[in-house]
């Protein structure tokens, strides 16, 4: 009975991941991250994703502050922030976030402020969706590990 | 040491301890630094990190740094990868330097980065599959 709990949770994890790949939220780079996780780095995926969340939120806050300033004109800074967001999103397999960041960057290269504001909203939306999905994945994974640690009664 | 059926001790080759690959990871993005650290660890190497090109240069200033490989990001604050690579070569640093670029970098930018003194250039995201052939060549050399 307890083994079924682990199997069910694993099935839920697989279903969620399949859905995220199918939606284009994640790409194969995320699989590369999973393959790098082993007994010497058992929480690697969790650790690197959380670093990504911390850094991305700093960048998004900075982007919002820059664009909300009525006298804003530093499109170069916007471009630099977006380059970093594109790079780190690629590196964890966050495909949709990366794609919308590239679109946002195009608006900044044209010094298009309304385009940048729209771009920021889209990036924030995609980022929060990804974050919610990752939290769900990590919760399932944690439940699965706990369930797997339960001994069968003799 | 193995013994033959006659009991003679067979000479064996001495076991050579493989030197661990020592890598300097230079990138302003902590996500990339963490990822590259784990990639290097997964292939049996050890790594040190620097947040930008200026830190990478400073690590080499006393002449005692000895890295087999430097993974050098291109766009960084303080000192970018191009400038850091040029400076390290001027300082007679002979480590293999692999430049790490993004898809946004065009051919001219990549060429300029190579000409600064890189041995190779790879596009993000890095993976074991991308980096292993270059490292194997380095270890064989």
């Amino acid at each position: 009975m307890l083994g079924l709990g682990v199997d069910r949770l694993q099935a839920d994890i697989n279903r969620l991941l399949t859905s995220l790949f199918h939606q284009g939220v994640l790409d194969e780079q995320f699989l590369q991250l999973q393959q790098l996780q082993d007994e010497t780095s058992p929480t690697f995926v969790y650790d690197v994703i959380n670093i990504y969340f911390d850094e991305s939120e700093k960048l998004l806050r900075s982007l919002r502050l820059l664009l909300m300033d009525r006298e804003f004109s530093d499109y170069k800074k916007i471009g630099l922030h977006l380059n970093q967001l594109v790079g780190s999103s690629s590196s964890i397999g966050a495909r949709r976030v990366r794609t919308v960041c590239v679109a946002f960057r195009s608006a900044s290269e044209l010094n298009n402020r309304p385009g940048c504001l729209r771009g920021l909203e889209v990036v924030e939306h995609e980022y929060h969706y990804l974050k919610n999905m990752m939290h769900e994945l990590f919760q399932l994974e944690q439940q699965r590990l706990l369930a797997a640690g339960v001994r069968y009664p003799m | 040491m193995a013994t033959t059926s006659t009991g003679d001790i067979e000479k064996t080759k001495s076991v050579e301890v493989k030197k661990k690959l020592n890598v300097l990871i230079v990138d302003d993005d902590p996500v990339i630094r963490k990822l590259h650290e784990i990639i290097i660890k997964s292939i049996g190497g050890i790594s040190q990190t620097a947040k930008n090109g200026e830190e990478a240069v400073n690590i080499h200033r006393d002449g005692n740094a000895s890295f087999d490989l430097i993974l050098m990001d291109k766009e960084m604050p303080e000192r970018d990868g191009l400038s850091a690579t040029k400076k390290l070569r001027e300082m007679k640093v002979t480590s293999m330097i692999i430049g790490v670029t993004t898809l946004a970098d065009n051919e001219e930018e990549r060429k300029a980065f190579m000409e600064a003194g890189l041995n190779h250039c790879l596009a993000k995201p890095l993976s074991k599959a991308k980096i292993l052939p270059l490292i194997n060549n380095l270890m064989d050399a």
Side-chain angles (χ1 to χ4, degrees):
Chain A
M1 287 277 285
L2 295 165
L4 285 174
V6 173
D7 289 343
R8 186 185 59 78
L9 286 163
Q10 187 60 61
D12 288 344
I13 289 168
N14 292 343
R15 228 183 337 265
L16 178 56
L17 278 173
T18 302
S19 170
L20 291 173
F21 278 100
H22 185 69
Q23 291 174 64
V25 173
L26 295 176
D27 64 26
E28 69 155 37
Q29 181 65 18
F30 185 77
L31 294 176
Q32 299 276 345
L33 292 191
Q34 290 185 313
Q35 283 165 16
L36 287 169
Q37 183 163 295
D38 60 19
E39 57 277 357
T40 64
S41 312
T43 60
F44 165 64
V45 176
Y46 180 82
D47 292 340
V48 79
I49 298 283
N50 276 305
I51 295 172
Y52 169 76
F53 287 154
D54 288 343
E55 291 304 308
S56 298
E57 279 165 33
K58 284 182 204 162
L59 290 168
L60 289 172
R61 270 197 298 274
S62 181
L63 283 165
R64 189 154 273 283
L65 278 170
L66 283 166
L67 285 168
M68 289 297 112
D69 180 355
R70 283 186 180 202
E71 297 185 12
F72 161 76
S73 62
D74 197 350
Y75 288 98
K76 189 178 175 192
K77 196 162 187 178
I78 297 258
L80 289 172
H81 283 350
L82 286 169
N83 281 346
Q84 192 164 333
L85 215 36
V86 167
S88 54
S89 299
S90 287
S91 293
I92 64 143
R95 185 174 164 210
R96 255 180 23 196
V97 173
R98 183 193 172 278
T99 301
V100 297
C101 285
V102 169
F104 182 173
R105 190 170 58 191
S106 301
S108 75
E109 284 162 1
L110 297 170
N111 293 2
N112 176 354
R113 187 153 178 251
C116 284
L117 284 164
R118 269 195 305 276
L120 177 62
E121 277 173 23
V122 173
V123 169
E124 284 172 337
H125 172 80
E126 286 298 340
Y127 168 78
H128 284 114
Y129 183 71
L130 171 73
K131 189 172 179 182
N132 288 339
M133 291 297 106
M134 287 291 107
H135 276 154
E136 196 175 319
L137 187 68
F138 291 143
Q139 269 177 351
L140 284 170
E141 183 59 36
Q142 201 170 34
Q143 284 167 29
R144 188 191 68 83
L145 288 170
L146 284 170
V150 175
R151 289 180 182 279
Y152 290 99
M154 298 298 282
Chain B
M1 287 192 178
T3 56
T4 64
S5 54
T6 59
D8 293 333
I9 293 172
E10 199 177 344
K11 279 186 185 171
T12 59
K13 287 184 187 174
S14 61
V15 174
E16 290 172 351
V17 175
K18 268 204 161 180
K19 181 174 166 282
K20 267 195 181 224
L21 187 73
N22 189 10
V23 182
L24 177 63
I25 296 163
V26 189
D27 203 301
D28 59 327
D29 187 346
V31 176
I32 310 286
R33 286 200 301 272
K34 180 78 174 173
L35 175 63
H36 292 176
E37 271 184 299
I38 292 295
I39 289 175
I40 296 303
K41 187 178 171 186
S42 74
I43 57 176
I46 54 174
S47 62
Q48 190 175 332
T49 60
K51 293 191 188 76
N52 54 57
E54 191 61 25
E55 259 190 45
V57 167
N58 287 339
I59 284 168
H60 287 83
R61 283 203 196 277
D62 64 1
N64 291 330
S66 170
F67 296 100
D68 300 300
L69 170 64
I70 300 173
L71 293 176
M72 181 75 76
D73 184 28
K74 185 169 161 288
E75 299 291 342
M76 292 178 286
E78 309 273 339
R79 190 194 281 265
D80 68 18
L82 204 146
S83 166
T85 302
K86 266 190 196 161
K87 184 68 183 171
L88 290 173
R89 293 307 190 206
E90 282 168 18
M91 293 163 69
K92 308 285 184 226
V93 169
T94 57
S95 313
M96 178 189 264
I97 305 180
I98 296 177
V100 184
T101 60
T102 69
L103 291 173
D105 295 316
N106 60 39
E107 197 49 48
E108 261 181 53
E109 285 165 333
R110 260 181 240 122
K111 194 178 167 208
F113 198 9
M114 282 294 300
E115 284 170 358
L118 297 180
N119 296 93
H120 299 283
C121 209
L122 292 173
K124 284 179 194 178
L126 287 193
S127 62
K128 266 169 82 166
K130 278 188 189 175
I131 204 168
L132 216 40
L134 298 178
I135 287 174
N136 284 338
N137 285 342
L138 174 66
M139 296 303 271
D140 288 343

